[in-house]
Amino acid sequence: LQDLFSINAYVYAQKPQLDIHSFEGTFTREDSDPAVHESLSIENTLWASTVVASGTVIGVVIYTGKETRSVMNTSNPKNKVGLLDLELNQLTKALFLALVALSVVMVTLQGFVGPWYRNLFRFLLLFSYIIPISLRVNLDMGKAAYGWMIMKDDNIPGTVVRTSTIPEELGRLVYLLTDKTGTLTQNEMIFKRLHLGTVSYGTDTMDEIQSHIINSYSQVHSQNSGNSTSSTPSRKPQSSAPKVRKSVSSRIHEAVKAIALCHNVTPVYESRAGVSGETEYSEVDQDFSDENRTYQASSPDEVTLVQWTESVGLTLVTRDLTSVQLKTPGGHILTYFILQIFPFTSESKRMGIIVRDESSGEITFYMKGADVAMSTIVQYNDWLEEECGNMAREGLRTLVVAKKSLTEEQYQDFESRYNQAKLSIHDRNLKVAAVVESLEREMELLCLTGVEDQLQADVRPTLEMLRNAGIKIWMLTGDKLETATCIAKSSHLVSRTQDIHIFRPVATRGEAHLELNAFRRKHDCALVISGDSLEVCLKYYEHEFVELACQCPAVVCCRCSPTQKAHIVKLLQHHTGKRTCAIGDGGNDVSMIQAADCGIGIEGKEGKQASLAADFSITQFKHIGRLLMVHGRNSYKRSAALGQFVMHRGLIISTMQAVFSSVFYFASVPLYQGFLMVGYATIYTMFPVFSLVLDQDVKPEMALLYPELYKDLTKGRSLSFKTFLIWVLISIYQGGILMYGALLLFESEFVHVVAISFTALILTELLMVALTIRTWHWLMVVAEFLSLGCYVASLAFLNEYFG
């Protein structure tokens, strides 16, 4: 390290100068005269896969193992087991008890003569077909078939099934927890509103702003011989224009310029066709046309703002680490040097930038951020809070823009204090924030912007369909309360005629108790609550709150963190015992998706973290309707029918064995030998029984037209102890009739009783499958005749087994 840095000897003597958690340090550059002291921060970090174009890197590992962000943000996913599998496990346990009980009864009726324990084990082996060994194989093959059908459905293109264990869970869901941005909305922002305090501009009046900008810069360039200006342009008063007109024009000019400068957006230009093979070319040769320019930024909101300034005439053409260039409507280039930049953080909820105008040398501090953060920074006004509330109720995302002009002396004083704070070893973040806050005082409020995140296609009918299906929808979002409430109304998550109870912010146990009592007195109303209030309620009144919230037709939780989202999912699972589904599109939804019984990810603008972590991946929110109503229904119904048929297949042959042994003095002698027992569960009956995965009780169109049919699935009536007992009785009845009837009717043909009873058994199974099928498929017919053909062929070629 000494070859490149000379780090203070005090630090090495006393304690290390690099803080592992916050990566803070300083170094002195010795190769300059005089020596330059600079601070080490997160900006000096070379992240994984970084390509170093020049220079030498001496590395210090600052985050490793459990300290890395990817590990800290990753929770261990649980092994998800479907509710149907758990129910079948219970029934299999019951069948095992029945096997043991039947064997004990046979030995008891035998009189415990001779080596009875040997006979007991022989009966256990003879009746072992009661245990449906092939059930697991048939179900897993069926689930693979359901996944293939989902991915091949042309009505939901791009859907990917990333699990082969829980497709039937799609038909048992009671709670759907959804993200807002990128899930219910497109995450594509549209500039809707510019408010200057006394005047507001909407989408239909943007041409007025454009004319103001064109006139403003044309007058500036005509008066200053083509030179640009960074201050409010001086214009000669026109006799026809009133003074208020000039004031509004000046404010529009400043507001648009502030929006065009205060951001972290970088314009990107593609290489022109004439410069083949070259990735870098001079700035003079760059194509600055609008068609060749794209914007890159960390937030779609910022890109939208810059695109809007371009539409009204002030275009961002180039940006690097030290300067920003804007193009005026007249084609002139304005250059601003970046002196300092303060990036947006979740704690500060604002970002700022200090720029110097190249032509005039004026220094200006621009800042934009959320209204909660900016309201205490800007000068006193009587319209900011009211207008922010109005925009939020329209579903707009708001940003407050402000500025402050600095003299050279003020900036130099700030820069020295700022650099000194950055060089501090202890509490650097606090000291830097304090210096910046000293500048954030009495700023001039320029404007309030409102952008709209449009709803995804067919969100309203999809949510209405889910609500009619009996699914309770909870929206978990990080947005502010008013915006979340507006989106809930506009998406019809909350009915227009439905009452909404907005949970008042609470901080103590007493306040939470009072608010819960007020909420308890209301009936059939949607609940809107913030993350902070939710934490307090869950801390003191967890059971009472969850019980009340579960009675609501819809719940909106705003200002939710990713861990809170996962916590809410686990609460619902613990308190209700119902199946939950979580759907999201970003990395902040991964923990919620993994915690839910069924996770669905949407491939959106925030990457594929949610899609890859989910059990099912879709491309649009509207696809969830068909995924649940059609494929969820079919998967559950088919798996239930398949499971019960496989159990019936084992019970009926075991019943025949029990009747045979009972007739012949409880002898532990097998009725069917070798290949017949193997063939019974495979080539003779497997194809027809497995063809039930193609059955459907309701046409897809009817399932979508009447989503109320989904309510019956959540009650689990297709597979329960009641239906199981019905199939047990059917199996005992059929097995007893087949065996006893064959012995009575064909007493003279006793030597052929095996062939007679086995033929009757196979025909009964094929007939039962045919009677159970609701909608015939041509493959079902093929399976029936294929199995029958295989059996007829075996009668001819395997006659020694039927003796």
Side-chain angles (χ1 to χ4, degrees):
L1 283 174
Q2 290 179 353
D3 294 338
L4 187 63
F5 305 134
S6 174
I7 301 184
N8 300 341
Y10 163 78
V11 175
Y12 274 113
Q14 301 295 328
K15 53 186 174 180
Q17 198 164 6
L18 287 177
D19 185 330
I20 295 300
H21 292 280
S22 57
F23 184 34
E24 297 177 354
T26 62
F27 70 89
T28 304
R29 194 188 305 276
E30 288 187 329
D31 57 358
S32 62
D33 189 20
V36 177
H37 297 274
E38 296 184 14
S39 64
L40 290 176
S41 67
I42 205 73
E43 295 178 357
N44 301 103
T45 309
L46 299 180
W47 299 109
S49 305
T50 300
V51 178
V52 181
S54 62
T56 305
V57 176
I58 296 178
V60 178
V61 178
I62 56 173
Y63 297 105
T64 184
K66 294 182 179 179
E67 297 294 328
T68 57
R69 174 173 295 213
S70 59
V71 174
M72 293 172 71
N73 283 343
T74 302
S75 57
N76 294 325
K78 65 176 183 179
N79 292 324
K80 298 185 179 181
V81 181
L83 185 58
L84 183 85
D85 292 332
L86 297 176
E87 292 169 345
L88 286 172
N89 286 346
Q90 298 297 322
L91 299 182
T92 305
K93 293 174 184 176
L95 289 174
F96 174 75
L97 295 177
L99 165 64
V100 175
L102 181 59
S103 301
V104 171
V105 168
M106 296 298 288
V107 173
T108 303
L109 294 175
Q110 197 179 37
F112 292 99
V113 294
W116 61 270
Y117 52 87
R118 186 186 302 172
N119 290 334
L120 176 63
F121 280 102
R122 292 189 69 177
F123 278 121
L124 286 173
L125 291 176
L126 288 177
F127 299 145
S128 62
Y129 260 69
I130 292 179
I131 306 296
I133 300 175
S134 61
L135 176 62
R136 191 75 265 158
V137 177
N138 280 275
L139 279 179
D140 288 345
M141 291 173 59
K143 291 176 181 181
Y146 306 148
W148 183 83
M149 293 174 190
I150 292 173
M151 290 191 286
K152 291 297 181 180
D153 191 344
D154 294 333
N155 294 295
I156 48 174
T159 302
V160 180
V161 179
R162 303 190 187 278
T163 179
S164 59
T165 57
I166 56 171
E168 69 278 353
E169 286 291 275
L170 294 170
R172 309 291 298 278
L173 302 177
V174 178
Y175 291 96
L176 176 67
L177 299 99
T178 174
D179 182 36
K180 183 182 77 68
T181 306
T183 304
L184 297 180
T185 61
Q186 300 178 16
N187 206 11
E188 292 182 0
M189 310 301 172
I190 299 176
F191 193 93
K192 286 286 187 179
R193 189 71 55 82
L194 179 72
H195 204 290
L196 301 174
T198 56
V199 61
S200 176
Y201 293 94
T203 52
D204 53 344
T205 53
M206 291 300 175
D207 53 340
E208 294 185 25
I209 298 179
Q210 186 175 10
S211 63
H212 280 300
I213 295 297
I214 293 174
N215 294 334
S216 173
Y217 278 105
S218 63
Q219 292 178 16
V220 168
H221 292 301
S222 64
Q223 292 177 14
N224 296 279
S225 301
N227 293 329
S228 64
T229 181
S230 66
S231 61
T232 304
S234 58
R235 293 177 297 275
K236 293 181 180 180
Q238 299 176 359
S239 57
S240 60
K243 291 184 178 181
V244 68
R245 179 78 173 178
K246 292 185 294 183
S247 176
V248 169
S249 180
S250 170
R251 290 160 65 186
I252 291 175
H253 177 96
E254 284 297 332
V256 173
K257 185 170 66 174
I259 296 172
L261 288 172
C262 187
H263 52 71
N264 64 356
V265 181
T266 303
V268 178
Y269 298 91
E270 298 293 334
S271 301
R272 290 186 295 180
V275 195
S276 59
E278 295 183 10
T279 58
E280 295 184 3
Y281 40 89
S282 65
E283 186 177 318
V284 178
D285 295 331
Q286 286 189 10
D287 182 8
F288 287 107
S289 63
D290 295 340
E291 297 79 13
N292 194 41
R293 184 190 309 109
T294 57
Y295 295 112
Q296 298 291 333
S298 58
S299 169
D301 300 64
E302 298 220 303
V303 174
T304 300
L305 293 174
V306 173
Q307 288 175 339
W308 175 76
T309 62
E310 178 184 351
S311 68
V312 297
L314 198 57
T315 306
L316 174 68
V317 288
T318 57
R319 182 197 179 116
D320 54 31
L321 293 176
T322 59
S323 65
V324 175
Q325 289 188 332
L326 305 178
K327 185 171 69 173
T328 66
H332 299 89
I333 300 297
L334 308 177
T335 302
Y336 296 87
F337 297 113
I338 300 175
L339 302 180
Q340 299 289 347
I341 187 165
F342 314 109
F344 176 89
T345 64
S346 57
E347 291 81 18
S348 66
K349 295 183 175 61
R350 57 186 180 272
M351 75 151 293
I353 187 172
I354 302 178
V355 295
R356 186 199 300 271
D357 187 358
E358 181 189 38
S359 59
S360 65
E362 292 189 3
I363 301 174
T364 310
F365 174 35
Y366 292 107
M367 178 164 282
K368 70 178 180 185
D371 58 305
V372 291
M374 298 291 291
S375 58
T376 57
I377 294 174
V378 298
Q379 296 172 351
Y380 172 77
N381 61 86
D382 57 358
W383 59 270
L384 179 59
E385 183 179 354
E386 180 183 356
E387 290 303 326
C388 282
N390 292 338
M391 287 191 186
R393 281 185 284 273
E394 295 177 25
L396 303 181
R397 299 159 67 102
T398 57
L399 277 177
V400 181
V401 184
K403 79 162 190 175
K404 186 176 187 179
S405 298
L406 303 176
T407 63
E408 188 68 33
E409 293 76 15
Q410 286 176 322
Y411 175 72
Q412 292 300 332
D413 174 63
F414 165 79
E415 186 180 32
S416 63
R417 291 187 291 115
Y418 186 67
N419 290 337
Q420 190 65 34
K422 288 201 297 183
L423 289 173
S424 62
I425 304 301
H426 306 290
D427 299 327
R428 174 186 298 182
N429 291 336
L430 294 176
K431 293 179 180 178
V432 169
V435 173
V436 176
E437 286 176 6
S438 68
L439 204 62
E440 300 171 345
R441 294 175 182 171
E442 292 298 311
M443 298 190 69
E444 179 186 349
L445 176 59
L446 295 179
C447 65
L448 178 65
T449 65
V451 296
E452 180 187 37
D453 191 359
Q454 288 189 320
L455 291 174
Q456 284 205 17
D458 294 332
V459 162
R460 294 186 183 95
T462 302
L463 289 176
E464 188 175 353
M465 177 195 300
L466 296 175
R467 195 164 53 245
N468 291 336
I471 298 175
K472 295 183 178 180
I473 305 168
W474 290 35
M475 185 172 77
L476 313 179
T477 177
D479 272 358
K480 60 189 300 184
L481 188 141
E482 292 84 359
T483 307
T485 305
C486 179
I487 294 297
K489 288 181 178 179
S490 61
S491 63
H492 292 181
L493 172 65
V494 177
S495 174
R496 293 283 183 183
T497 59
Q498 202 166 54
D499 291 335
I500 298 178
H501 178 78
I502 299 179
F503 211 86
R504 188 173 55 85
V506 296
T508 64
R509 182 172 185 172
E511 292 177 350
H513 181 70
L514 292 174
E515 194 63 22
L516 279 174
N517 286 338
F519 178 47
R520 188 179 285 110
R521 288 191 290 269
K522 295 187 177 181
H523 300 284
D524 193 36
C525 68
L527 172 66
V528 179
I529 186 172
S530 65
D532 296 337
S533 301
L534 181 66
E535 281 292 321
V536 177
C537 291
L538 294 180
K539 182 179 180 180
Y540 299 111
Y541 302 102
E542 178 180 302
H543 181 75
E544 292 86 345
F545 176 79
V546 176
E547 185 180 2
L548 288 172
C550 289
Q551 297 173 3
C552 297
V555 177
V556 177
C557 298
C558 54
R559 297 298 190 197
C560 268
S561 64
T563 52
Q564 274 185 320
K565 292 181 179 182
H567 184 49
I568 293 171
V569 173
K570 294 173 183 175
L571 274 176
L572 287 175
Q573 293 171 340
H574 175 69
H575 285 275
T576 66
K578 305 294 185 182
R579 310 312 276 179
T580 59
C581 174
I583 179 170
D585 72 313
N588 60 337
D589 303 315
V590 170
S591 56
M592 172 178 70
I593 288 172
Q594 291 181 338
D597 297 302
C598 179
I600 300 177
I602 296 180
E603 294 182 10
K605 295 183 178 296
E606 296 186 28
K608 292 190 175 183
Q609 302 99 314
S611 170
L612 295 174
D615 305 306
F616 304 90
S617 173
I618 59 179
T619 56
Q620 295 184 55
F621 182 82
K622 66 178 182 179
H623 292 168
I624 195 175
R626 186 176 182 87
L627 192 65
L628 301 187
M629 300 300 117
V630 177
H631 294 288
R633 178 184 190 83
N634 289 340
S635 299
Y636 171 59
K637 285 280 190 179
R638 292 165 175 173
S639 292
L642 182 62
Q644 291 178 132
F645 238 100
V646 171
M647 289 187 286
H648 159 77
R649 188 171 61 185
L651 278 168
I652 188 172
I653 198 169
S654 298
T655 303
M656 294 178 70
Q657 176 68 54
V659 172
F660 177 78
S661 297
S662 300
V663 170
F664 293 100
Y665 308 103
F666 306 103
S668 54
V669 178
L671 172 60
Y672 302 121
Q673 301 292 328
F675 186 80
L676 293 185
M677 295 298 289
V678 175
Y680 171 68
T682 54
I683 62 172
Y684 295 154
T685 61
M686 185 186 72
F687 298 118
V689 171
F690 187 71
S691 68
L692 288 171
V693 301
L694 301 172
D695 190 25
Q696 56 183 19
D697 62 332
V698 174
K699 292 287 185 183
E701 297 78 15
M702 300 305 292
L704 293 172
L705 185 60
Y706 300 104
E708 292 80 7
L709 294 170
Y710 189 87
K711 293 180 182 179
D712 184 59
L713 305 180
T714 59
K715 298 175 182 176
R717 291 174 176 171
S718 296
L719 179 66
S720 62
F721 270 102
K722 178 181 177 180
T723 59
F724 170 69
L725 290 174
I726 291 173
W727 277 100
V728 168
L729 293 175
I730 290 173
S731 303
I732 294 173
Y733 170 75
Q734 290 179 340
I737 292 295
L738 287 174
M739 194 66 245
Y740 203 67
L743 291 173
L744 288 179
L745 296 177
F746 298 94
E747 189 175 358
S748 59
E749 300 286 338
F750 181 72
V751 69
H752 299 300
V753 71
V754 171
I756 293 169
S757 63
F758 197 76
T759 302
L761 175 63
I762 297 299
L763 292 176
T764 300
E765 279 295 300
L766 298 181
L767 186 61
M768 282 293 291
V769 172
L771 292 174
T772 304
I773 290 173
R774 297 179 178 90
T775 306
W776 281 90
H777 190 279
W778 67 271
L779 285 175
M780 295 176 176
V781 180
V782 171
E784 290 272 346
F785 283 102
L786 179 63
S787 295
L788 187 60
C790 289
Y791 180 67
V792 172
S794 65
L795 283 175
F797 294 103
L798 302 173
N799 53 1
E800 68 274 10
Y801 285 97
F802 294 94

